[in-house]
Amino acid sequence: MDYLKLICHRKPERSFFINGYQFPVCARCTGFYIMFLIYFIYTYFFYVNYNHFLILFSILLLIPAVVDGTSQLKGLRESNNYLRFFTGLIGGLGLGIIIKAIKYYILILL
């Protein structure tokens, strides 16, 4: 299972457990991946207009995850798994929008 460390650090103290089994990714990555999936399913069924406002909004959605992760990395504070998960959900939506916007604009330019 070392190959999973390529997508997440998997630290036990930063991961969720169900019935004694650790999730394959940490709490923040769990939020990111869940929101990726939800957003990609949503965009499959509904049209999204990727304008400048939406892209700016998606960048703003990434800020809480960056602040939480950076402040924890620098030792300024200790986060908890629920906050990590929530910032992962918000950041996952932002990153999902950015990825789909890049795909959208690449397909338009081709």
Side-chain angles (χ1 to χ4, degrees), residues 11-101:
K11 291 181 180 179
E13 66 274 8
R14 296 184 184 172
S15 299
F16 291 124
F17 284 81
I18 293 182
N19 293 332
Y21 294 99
Q22 181 180 349
F23 269 37
V25 292
C26 72
R28 187 173 293 118
C29 290
T30 299
F32 265 95
Y33 293 134
I34 287 172
M35 192 52 79
F36 273 158
L37 180 63
I38 291 170
Y39 184 72
F40 290 163
I41 290 170
Y42 175 83
T43 58
Y44 181 78
F45 292 106
F46 300 100
Y47 173 76
V48 177
N49 181 17
Y50 294 101
N51 56 33
H52 298 299
F53 173 76
L54 185 60
I55 294 170
L56 176 62
F57 179 68
S58 68
I59 292 168
L60 292 175
L61 288 174
L62 289 168
I63 291 173
V66 170
V67 169
D68 185 45
T70 303
S71 64
Q72 185 173 323
L73 179 67
K74 298 283 185 185
L76 301 175
R77 51 181 280 287
E78 185 62 32
S79 188
N80 61 55
N81 284 345
Y82 297 107
L83 181 58
R84 288 183 193 108
F85 178 70
F86 184 69
T87 59
L89 286 174
I90 295 170
L93 178 59
L95 197 55
I97 292 170
I98 290 171
I99 289 170
K100 292 290 278 190

